[in-house]
């Protein structure tokens, strides 16, 4: 039977569809997530003058020597600056650890861990703020926000792993212009952002999270010498240990309090050395303690929850009258506000792209005129930025043009479009300030109400302008986005049309060979309809931010409902067979019993996985099995981990014993994996408790041996086994494999190595799963060992169900069910659609130094453990499935390969393509949504990563089947030639 959809044509069209999808996705990502545009150049002396309609360029700034430029800035600003700055960054420190939360002080254990810092706050010698960080809450974009005052693009989360030099206007560049000498010790991200800027430095890797001790000692060891020197003006100290403690053990880690105490001693040392002994006034050194982001209760970050965005800004050296923690809680500002505050405290221009607002309270020791001047300078800078962003915004010289004379420019309430509102608020503040200047000094002292009104007017304008600039969506290239969406839609149509064409072909073939009307392709059962309905459910739910945050509920509902529908179907089949002859009842009952048992296993394991992690975003605090076990103690968790590992190894060896390969080959392959499995258990037993300590050489070496050994064993099995397995004689097929004799023509059995291919795929697929089990047992968090075992049990149950389905079973349903189980397992392992649940700590197991590529690969393996697991299981599924064995009389090798690979490859690609295209359209529609960057954009990154996972999984499946088939076909043909020659 000839078919218009040949294997070659199917392959070409599939590759074409995937290529178009990749091109469309790339164009859309490039257009939707551009690097946020920034004004070129740097701020100069013109920033101390009111903005005009004609921009004034700082042409003479570069001609002045640094000391003259510094004097010019001080004269123009009229604000006495500090002399030196110590910027201490404590990576990952939540502000509530220092300032408390909900009008309450921090817990006693945390206050006792930082006694000196708490005494500074209590005595009014420091001012503290909850500085809200913008998502994504990772280090590099947050450092850029603090030194430039600008909010970067969302894809800075990707650039965080490969930091480039910061070319935009920033504080350190301004300090360099006035001749400051700068030193840096700590996170090497600073050296990448500002190459060649520091006269002395000692950078440490920020991503090697296993190190919680040496990474901070390398910073503190320089302190004694540097504090005694007077040849620097700015010292940056970036401590990483607390962030690493969080990644490894969470907020409640036993190392958290000692690490806070260590940081407190550093604050004590700096304060007593360079600040406490100095008198108030010009020449002071200011210590600013900040954190780039907070952390979740699990110690991760990257998302937009309060715990992750609650960073610290602590100014030590400024007087403060606040000592009540309830008032500190109200001190909530934005992280970008640090940049303009430091700029004016040190007498340099505010960076050009700053969207921050001066921190109220930091200028409390300055005169009223100086405080108003600082607010005025901040207003001028934001107004210039607004004029660049809003071409229709009136310049300062014509701000009154839009208001009638009878108002006399006395504005009480500002409304209208954004241009009118901003002009109105700015005009109101400047007029009140001008009236203040006209008063003599003596009358000003009695006008505290007028002064407060001016400050309030300035802050009203500043906050309105800052919020608009922060929320402003960058202009999207419409043509690029449209072409990207169109390409993805075209790719989706190609893949879906291929699935439908092959569906028609295969079931038309079955109808010709099977005369029972119940197998008609037009007969749809409830479970098949539900499998398609799932896609509609997913697409509809994508438009809700709450459903995106809690997507795990959808997948758990889908899998449990599908299992119940399959159980109902099996029950109906059993009743139908009971009405027939007893002999057929006995024969069919066996298969149905196996299928029903496998479904019960799926239901029980699925319910356990559902309750293991209380995932998502909003309900993570609710109790679950993992929290209960962690509360019971690490010994219980380790015991469960070891037992889970032993059971996984035992199940894998049992599955190997069912292989049709020769005993010797099975023993060799099984022994090699068993050896590495025992090494994994040894790593868990010996080094699991030492994970909080610094990197252990023996543990790293053992992990590297495991990685190398598993890779060699798996690749060796894939490459060598098709060459080593025996080729069966064709006349024994019918006697030992009756399922073939009834559905496969004898000519095809004689010519093509179907039996050998099934045995080869079974063993290779088993090697994939065994390797993946051991990898996850080594890399996953200890609490996830049992869920990995349950996922493996689900795979085995699915394979048992498929192997008893017969040739009339619909293969695409089972492939789709495997895909759904993989996605449900993804969330069952504690993952979510926020970047904070990515396990960073596991990405450094077996690594002696940081590598972006290797760490990224390990992070991907950990995050997509479940979807990859089920995609790899498709190799074994093909080996046990019989639905593709309904083959016409005149079939060739291309037809056989097409029958084997079409649904296993096209169904995952098709389902993922629908989800990818639908969510791309949703993201485009939600581009102005309040949660576009905190909810929808992180989810889109996960959708893109899932697409990559599907590509890799499908490539593994197709490469394995094609390679094994070609080798076995070649060997069978060679054996046929040799048998002819013998005759």
């Amino acid at each position: 039977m000839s078919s218009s959809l040949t294997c070659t044509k199917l392959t070409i069209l599939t590759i074409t569809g995937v290529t178009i999808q990749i091109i469309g996705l790339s164009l859309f990502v490039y257009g939707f997530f551009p690097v946020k545009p920034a004004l070129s150049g740097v701020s100069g002396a013109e920033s101390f003058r009111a903005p005009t309609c004609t921009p004034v360029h700082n042409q003479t700034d570069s001609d002045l020597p640094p000391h003259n430029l510094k004097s010019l800035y001080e004269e123009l600003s009229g604000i006495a600056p500090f002399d030196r700055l110590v910027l201490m960054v404590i990576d990952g420190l939540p502000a509530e650890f220092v300032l408390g939360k909900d009008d309450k002080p921090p817990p006693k254990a945390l206050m006792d861990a930082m006694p000196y810092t708490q005494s500074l706050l209590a005595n009014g010698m420091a001012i503290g703020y909850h500085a809200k960080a913008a998502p994504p809450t990772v280090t590099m974009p947050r450092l850029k926000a603090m030194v430039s005052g600008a909010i970067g693009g969302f894809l800075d989360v990707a650039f965080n792993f490969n930091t480039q030099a910061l070319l935009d206007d920033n504080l350190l560049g301004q300090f360099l212009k006035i001749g400051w000498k700068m030193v840096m010790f700590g996170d090497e991200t600073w050296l990448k952002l500002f190459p060649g800027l520091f006269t002395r430095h000692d950078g440490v890797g920020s991503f090697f999270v296993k190190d919680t001790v040496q990474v901070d000692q390398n910073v503190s060891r320089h302190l004694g010498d540097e504090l005694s020197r007077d040849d620097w003006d700015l010292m940056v100290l970036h401590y990483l240990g607390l962030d690493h403690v969080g990644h490894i053990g969470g907020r409640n880690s036993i190392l958290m309090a000692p690490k806070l105490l260590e940081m407190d001693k550093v604050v004590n040392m700096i304060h007593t050395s360079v600040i406490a002994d100095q008198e108030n006034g010009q020449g002071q050194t200011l210590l600013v303690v900040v954190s780039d982001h907070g952390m979740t209760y699990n110690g991760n970050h990257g998302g937009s929850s309060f715990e992750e965005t609650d960073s610290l800004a602590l100014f030590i050296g400024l007087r403060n009258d606040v000592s009540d923690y309830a008032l500190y809680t109200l001190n909530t500002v934005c992280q970008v506000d640090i940049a303009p505050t430091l700029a004016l405290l040190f007498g340099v221009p505010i960076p050009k792209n700053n969207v921050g607002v001066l921190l109220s309270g930091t200028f409390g020791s300055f005169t009223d005129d100086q405080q108003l001047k600082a607010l005025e300078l901040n207003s001028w800078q934001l107004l210039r930025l607004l004029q660049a962003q809003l071409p229709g915004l009136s310049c300062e010289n014509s701000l009154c043009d839009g208001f009638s004379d009878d108002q006399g420019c006395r504005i009480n309430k500002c409304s209208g479009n954004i241009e009118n509102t901003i002009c109105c608020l700015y005009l109101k503040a400047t007029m009140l300030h001008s009236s203040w200047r006209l008063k003599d000094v003596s009358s000003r002292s009695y006008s505290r109400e007028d002064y407060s009104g001016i400050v309030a007017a300035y802050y009203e304008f500043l906050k309105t302008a800052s919020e608009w600039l922060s929320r402003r969506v960058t202009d999207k290239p419409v043509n690029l986005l449209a072409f990207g969406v169109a390409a993805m839609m075209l790719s989706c149509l190609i893949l879906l049309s291929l699935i439908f064409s092959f569906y028609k072909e295969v079931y038309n073939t079955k109808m010709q060979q099977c005369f029972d009307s119940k197998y008609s392709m037009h007969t749809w059962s409830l479970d098949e309809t539900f499998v398609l309905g799932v896609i509609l459910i997913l697409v509809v739910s994508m438009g809700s931010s709450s459903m995106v945050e809690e997507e795990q509920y959808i997948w758990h509902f889908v899998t449990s409902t599908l299992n119940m529908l399959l159980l109902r179907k099996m029950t109906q089949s059993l009743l139908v067979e009971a009405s027939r002859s007893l002999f057929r009842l006995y024969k069919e009952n066996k298969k149905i019993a196996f299928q029903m048992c496998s479904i019960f296993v799926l239901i029980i394991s699925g319910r356990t996985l559902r309750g293991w992690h209380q995932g998502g975003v909003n309900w993570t605090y609710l109790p679950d099995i993992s929290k209960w076990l962690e509360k019971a103690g690490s010994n219980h968790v380790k015991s469960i981990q070891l037992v889970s590992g032993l059971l996984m190894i035992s199940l894998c060896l049992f599955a190997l014993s069912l292989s049709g390969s020769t005993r010797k080959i099975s023993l060799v392959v099984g022994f090699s994996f068993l050896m590495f499995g025992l090494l994994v258990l040894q790593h868990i037993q010996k080094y699991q408790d030492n994970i909080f300590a610094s990197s252990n050489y023996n543990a790293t070496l053992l992990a590297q041996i495991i990685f190398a050994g598993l890779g060699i064993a798996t690749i060796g099995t894939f490459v060598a086994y098709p060459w080593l397995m025996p080729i069966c004689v064709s006349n024994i097929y019918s006697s030992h494999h009756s399922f073939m004799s009834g559905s496969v023509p004898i000519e095809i059995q004689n010519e093509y190595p179907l039996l050998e291919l099934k045995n080869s795929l079974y063993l290779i697929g088993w090697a994939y799963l065994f390797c993946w089990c051991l990898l996850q047992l080594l890399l996953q968090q200890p609490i996830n060992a049992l869920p990995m075992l349950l996922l493996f049990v689900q795979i085995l149950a699915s394979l048992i169900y498929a192997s008893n389905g017969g040739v009339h079973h619909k293969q695409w349903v089972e492939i789709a069910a495997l895909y759904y189980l993989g996605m449900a397992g993804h969330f069952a392992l504690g993952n979510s659609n926020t970047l904070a649940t990515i396990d960073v700590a596991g990405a450094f197991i077996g690594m002696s130094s940081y590598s972006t590529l290797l760490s990224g690969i390990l992070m991907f393996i950990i995050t997509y453990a479940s979807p990859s697991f089920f995609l790899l299981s498709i190799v074994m599924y093909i080996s046990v499935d019989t639905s593709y064995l309904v083959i016409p009389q005149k079939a060739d090798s291309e037809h056989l390969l097409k029958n084997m690979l079409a649904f296993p490859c096209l169904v995952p690609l098709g389902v993922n393509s629908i989800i990818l295209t639908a969510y791309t359209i949703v993201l485009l529609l939600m581009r102005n949504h309040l949660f576009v960057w905190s909810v929808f954009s992180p989810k889109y990154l996960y959708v893109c990563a899932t697409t990559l996972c599907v590509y890799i999984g499908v490539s593994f499946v197709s490469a394995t089947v094609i390679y094994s088939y070609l080798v076995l076909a070649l060997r069978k043909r060679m054996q046929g030639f040799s048998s002819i020659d013998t005759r």
Side-chain angles (χ1 to χ4, degrees):
M1 175 182 176
S2 61
S3 172
S4 60
L5 188 63
T6 63
C7 183
T8 303
K9 184 177 179 180
L10 180 66
T11 303
I12 293 174
L13 288 175
T14 303
I15 295 175
T16 301
V18 170
T19 304
I20 293 174
Q21 188 175 87
I22 294 173
I23 294 173
L25 179 59
S26 302
L27 292 175
F28 182 84
V29 170
Y30 179 78
F32 194 86
F33 298 105
V35 177
K36 204 157 188 177
L39 297 181
S40 59
V42 296
S43 297
E46 81 285 350
S47 65
F48 297 104
R49 305 184 183 97
T52 60
C53 290
T54 304
V56 179
H57 299 284
N58 50 327
Q59 300 173 349
T60 61
D61 286 9
S62 58
D63 300 331
L64 294 176
H67 65 279
N68 290 342
L69 189 61
K70 180 180 180 181
S71 300
L72 174 64
Y73 287 164
E74 291 181 12
E75 179 183 351
L76 291 174
S77 69
I79 302 172
F82 282 82
D83 188 50
R84 296 203 301 176
L85 170 64
V86 179
L87 182 62
M88 179 179 175
V89 183
I90 305 178
D91 205 296
L93 175 64
E96 63 180 282
F97 279 17
V98 180
L99 304 178
K101 179 184 177 183
D102 298 332
D103 301 338
K104 297 178 182 178
K108 186 176 185 303
L110 296 179
M111 294 189 71
D112 292 342
M114 304 192 76
Y116 193 81
T117 304
Q118 293 296 334
S119 68
L120 293 176
L121 288 168
N123 296 329
M125 301 175 68
I127 304 177
Y129 299 88
H130 290 261
K132 184 178 180 181
T137 46
V138 291
T139 298
M140 186 272 288
R142 303 284 54 81
L143 295 183
K144 289 170 66 173
M146 285 189 281
V147 299
S148 69
I151 299 176
F154 183 81
L155 284 190
D156 274 343
V157 67
F159 302 144
N160 185 61
F161 296 96
N162 187 25
T163 304
Q164 305 295 322
L166 177 59
L167 302 178
D168 300 337
D169 192 10
N170 60 83
L171 285 177
L172 274 68
Q174 293 289 348
F175 290 152
L176 184 67
K177 284 175 59 180
I178 62 174
W180 271 28
K181 304 297 182 184
M182 292 171 271
V183 296
M184 194 288 301
F185 307 100
D187 187 352
E188 61 183 9
T189 302
W190 288 92
L191 301 179
K192 296 177 181 178
L193 285 172
F194 307 102
L197 195 67
F198 301 102
T199 55
R200 290 187 300 277
H201 57 80
D202 185 8
V204 296
S206 58
F207 295 105
F208 195 61
V209 300
K210 291 166 62 178
D211 182 9
T212 64
V213 178
Q214 196 65 40
V215 71
D216 286 344
Q217 290 180 352
N218 287 342
V219 179
S220 296
R221 66 180 180 176
H222 300 280
L223 266 183
D225 179 56
E226 292 296 335
L227 292 177
S228 63
R229 291 172 174 259
D230 59 0
D231 62 344
W232 56 264
D233 301 287
L234 167 65
M235 179 165 62
V236 177
L237 307 170
H238 193 137
Y239 287 92
L240 292 161
L242 187 135
D243 179 68
H244 292 184
V245 168
H247 279 301
I248 295 173
R251 286 193 173 203
N252 298 322
S253 168
I254 59 174
L255 291 181
M256 189 60 73
K259 182 57 66 175
L260 288 172
L261 182 59
E262 181 184 346
M263 296 297 98
D264 188 66
K265 290 179 179 178
V266 174
V267 172
N268 186 349
M269 184 177 181
I270 298 172
H271 185 257
T272 55
S273 298
V274 297
I275 298 178
D277 295 335
Q278 297 182 8
E279 296 180 357
N280 293 333
Q282 190 169 357
Q284 279 188 311
T285 298
L286 180 65
L287 170 61
V288 180
V289 182
V290 297
S291 59
D292 49 353
H293 51 74
M295 64 174 68
T296 64
Y297 290 101
N298 293 327
N300 295 322
H301 55 86
S304 58
S305 67
F306 171 81
E307 290 76 17
E308 297 161 87
T309 59
D310 182 35
S311 65
L312 176 68
L314 185 64
F315 293 78
I316 300 175
L318 296 176
R319 300 297 303 177
N320 179 30
D321 298 329
V322 176
S323 60
D324 186 358
Y325 287 98
L327 298 178
Y328 279 128
T329 305
L330 299 176
N331 276 4
T332 300
V333 297
C334 293
Q335 197 174 56
V336 290
D337 298 343
I338 296 173
T341 302
L342 289 179
L344 294 183
L345 284 175
F346 288 90
V348 295
I350 299 173
K352 206 164 194 175
N353 294 286
N354 164 72
V355 297
V357 176
L358 286 179
L359 295 174
S360 59
T362 53
F363 288 80
S365 59
F366 293 79
T367 64
D368 290 348
D369 282 334
Q370 288 176 326
Q371 294 184 52
L372 293 178
K373 180 64 175 178
L375 291 171
E376 184 179 50
L377 292 174
N378 193 187
S379 299
W380 288 347
Q381 181 268 321
L382 285 182
L383 186 61
R384 285 188 176 90
L385 190 58
L386 286 166
Q387 288 174 339
Q389 305 280 1
L390 293 170
L393 186 66
S394 300
C395 295
E396 191 270 341
N397 289 340
S398 57
L399 279 174
C400 285
D401 291 352
F403 303 95
S404 59
D405 294 336
D406 60 336
Q407 286 178 298
C409 287
R410 296 180 179 275
I411 304 113
N412 295 318
K413 185 177 181 180
C414 298
S415 60
N417 59 27
I418 184 64
E419 289 90 347
N420 289 339
T421 302
I422 287 175
C423 286
C424 173
L425 292 174
Y426 176 78
L427 179 62
K428 179 180 179 181
T430 53
M431 291 194 62
L432 291 174
H433 195 182
S434 298
S435 300
W436 168 271
R437 285 197 179 100
L438 295 176
K439 297 180 181 179
D440 54 58
V441 177
S442 59
S443 62
R444 290 181 188 176
S445 59
Y446 298 101
S447 305
R448 299 308 300 172
E449 185 176 346
D450 293 343
Y451 169 78
S452 300
I454 301 171
V455 172
Y458 267 125
Y459 271 114
E460 187 178 5
F461 164 74
L462 290 171
K463 291 185 181 300
T464 302
S466 176
E467 288 175 3
W468 185 86
L469 288 167
S470 299
R471 290 198 311 262
R472 180 177 180 269
V473 179
T474 56
D475 294 331
K476 305 286 193 298
V478 178
N479 294 336
L480 203 62
L481 295 179
F483 189 82
V485 173
M488 281 186 274
M489 292 179 68
L490 176 62
S491 169
C492 185
L493 290 175
I494 291 174
L495 294 174
L496 293 180
S497 64
L498 290 176
I499 294 175
F500 182 71
S501 297
F502 183 72
Y503 174 81
K504 283 175 57 178
E505 176 186 323
V506 71
Y507 286 106
N508 281 335
T509 302
K510 286 188 177 183
M511 288 177 63
Q512 291 179 9
Q513 297 191 3
C514 303
F515 300 100
D516 194 335
S517 61
K518 75 173 186 176
Y519 298 122
S520 171
M521 64 172 286
H522 302 291
T523 302
W524 286 82
S525 61
L526 187 58
D527 58 301
E528 294 160 2
T529 306
F530 181 75
V531 166
L532 294 179
V534 167
I535 300 175
L536 179 62
I537 294 173
L538 289 169
V539 170
V540 171
S541 68
M542 288 175 180
S544 167
S545 62
S546 298
M547 294 306 296
V548 170
E549 290 178 326
E550 309 299 335
E551 187 181 352
Q552 73 278 0
Y553 292 121
I554 298 176
W555 288 110
H556 290 308
F557 164 77
V558 164
T559 53
S560 59
T561 304
L562 182 57
N563 289 332
M564 293 303 296
L565 291 177
L566 293 176
L567 182 62
R568 172 182 175 272
K569 184 177 182 179
M570 291 300 100
T571 305
Q572 289 177 335
S573 300
L574 186 63
L575 294 176
V576 170
E577 295 300 335
S579 63
R580 304 191 179 188
S581 65
L582 292 176
F583 174 76
R584 183 161 185 177
L585 174 61
Y586 173 77
K587 184 177 178 181
E588 295 295 329
N589 191 31
K590 218 172 161 185
K591 291 184 177 181
I592 295 175
F594 275 117
Q595 288 189 308
M596 291 187 71
C597 289
S598 64
I599 293 173
F600 276 117
V601 171
L602 287 170
I603 292 173
I604 295 171
S605 58
R607 184 60 189 91
T608 306
L609 288 169
R610 163 65 184 84
W612 198 265
H613 286 288
Q614 189 63 51
V617 175
N618 299 312
W619 315 110
T620 54
Y621 64 90
L622 294 177
D624 53 38
I625 300 174
S626 63
K627 293 187 182 71
W628 176 72
L629 287 174
E630 287 173 342
K631 189 179 294 185
S634 59
N635 290 333
H636 292 80
V637 175
K638 177 184 279 191
S639 299
I640 294 174
Q641 189 180 16
L642 291 172
V643 171
S644 299
L646 287 171
L647 288 175
M648 272 194 278
I649 294 173
S650 301
L651 285 174
C652 286
L653 293 176
F654 173 74
L656 175 63
S657 67
L658 303 177
S659 170
S661 59
T662 61
R663 184 175 181 83
K664 289 183 179 179
I665 297 178
S666 299
L667 286 175
V668 171
V669 176
F671 178 77
S672 62
F673 279 97
L674 175 61
M675 180 177 64
F676 294 113
L678 295 177
L679 289 179
V680 171
L681 296 179
Q682 181 187 1
H683 188 281
I684 294 171
Q685 177 64 32
K686 195 171 182 180
Y687 301 111
Q688 192 77 65
D689 293 335
N690 295 329
I691 195 168
F692 294 106
S694 59
S695 178
N696 185 295
Y697 174 77
N698 293 330
T700 301
L701 180 62
L702 180 58
Q704 290 173 349
I705 292 173
I706 294 171
F707 290 151
L710 288 176
I712 293 172
T714 306
I715 296 173
T717 304
F718 163 70
V719 174
Y721 185 67
W723 293 99
L724 297 177
M725 71 171 299
I727 301 295
C728 300
V729 181
S730 60
N731 58 16
I732 69 170
Y733 274 29
S734 59
S735 60
H736 291 283
H737 300 278
S738 57
F739 66 88
M740 281 191 176
S741 62
S743 55
V744 182
I746 190 65
E747 296 85 0
I748 294 177
Q749 297 182 37
N750 293 334
E751 185 175 355
Y752 301 111
L754 289 182
L755 177 63
E756 294 87 346
L757 181 60
K758 288 174 70 67
N759 291 336
S760 177
L761 294 180
Y762 185 92
L763 187 70
I764 295 174
W766 169 88
Y768 287 164
L769 296 185
F770 204 165
C771 175
W772 199 253
C773 283
L774 296 179
L775 268 181
Q776 299 303 328
L777 194 62
L778 179 65
L779 296 175
Q780 288 283 344
Q781 296 178 7
I783 199 66
N784 279 341
L786 186 57
M788 282 305 303
L789 171 63
L790 294 176
L791 291 176
F792 184 53
V793 169
Q794 285 191 330
I795 288 175
L796 294 181
S798 301
L799 295 176
I800 293 172
Y801 180 88
S803 63
N804 290 279
V807 296
H808 306 297
H809 209 75
K810 294 187 178 178
Q811 192 186 39
W812 66 271
V813 175
E814 294 172 344
I815 298 295
L818 283 174
Y819 183 90
Y820 297 161
L821 285 173
M823 291 307 300
H826 173 72
F827 292 99
L829 290 174
N831 295 298
S832 70
N833 286 327
T834 173
L835 302 177
T837 52
I838 296 176
D839 183 11
V840 178
F844 299 94
I845 294 176
M847 296 185 61
S848 55
S849 60
Y850 175 69
S851 168
T852 302
L853 177 62
L854 295 179
S855 296
I857 292 173
L858 290 180
M859 204 177 299
F860 184 84
I861 289 174
I862 295 170
T863 305
Y864 284 88
S866 178
S868 302
F869 205 11
F870 281 85
L871 286 170
L872 291 175
S873 71
I874 293 178
V875 176
M876 283 188 72
Y877 170 84
I878 295 174
S879 72
V880 301
D881 182 43
T882 57
S883 59
Y884 62 83
L885 290 175
V886 178
I887 300 172
Q889 290 286 340
K890 296 181 180 180
D892 55 14
S893 58
E894 283 196 2
H895 190 97
L896 295 174
L897 284 175
K898 182 180 71 174
N899 273 20
M900 289 182 184
L901 286 175
F903 278 142
C905 292
L906 287 176
V907 170
L909 287 173
V911 173
N912 182 79
S913 180
I914 296 173
I915 295 174
L916 174 65
T917 305
Y919 196 76
T920 300
I921 297 172
V922 168
L923 184 64
L924 192 59
L925 296 175
M926 296 294 175
R927 63 189 181 277
N928 295 319
H929 195 279
L930 181 63
F931 300 143
V932 63
W933 303 119
S934 59
V935 176
F936 293 103
S937 294
K939 165 62 179 174
Y940 195 72
L941 296 185
Y942 275 104
V943 171
C944 295
T946 304
T947 302
L948 176 61
C949 178
V950 171
Y951 290 162
I952 295 174
V954 168
S955 299
F956 265 90
V957 172
S958 57
T960 302
V961 174
I962 293 173
Y963 171 78
S964 299
Y965 180 83
L966 292 177
V967 171
L968 293 170
L970 176 63
R971 290 184 61 208
K972 187 153 190 172
R973 184 174 301 176
M974 292 172 61
Q975 183 172 328
F977 289 151
S978 63
S979 62
I980 294 174
D981 294 339
T982 303
R983 295 174 190 169

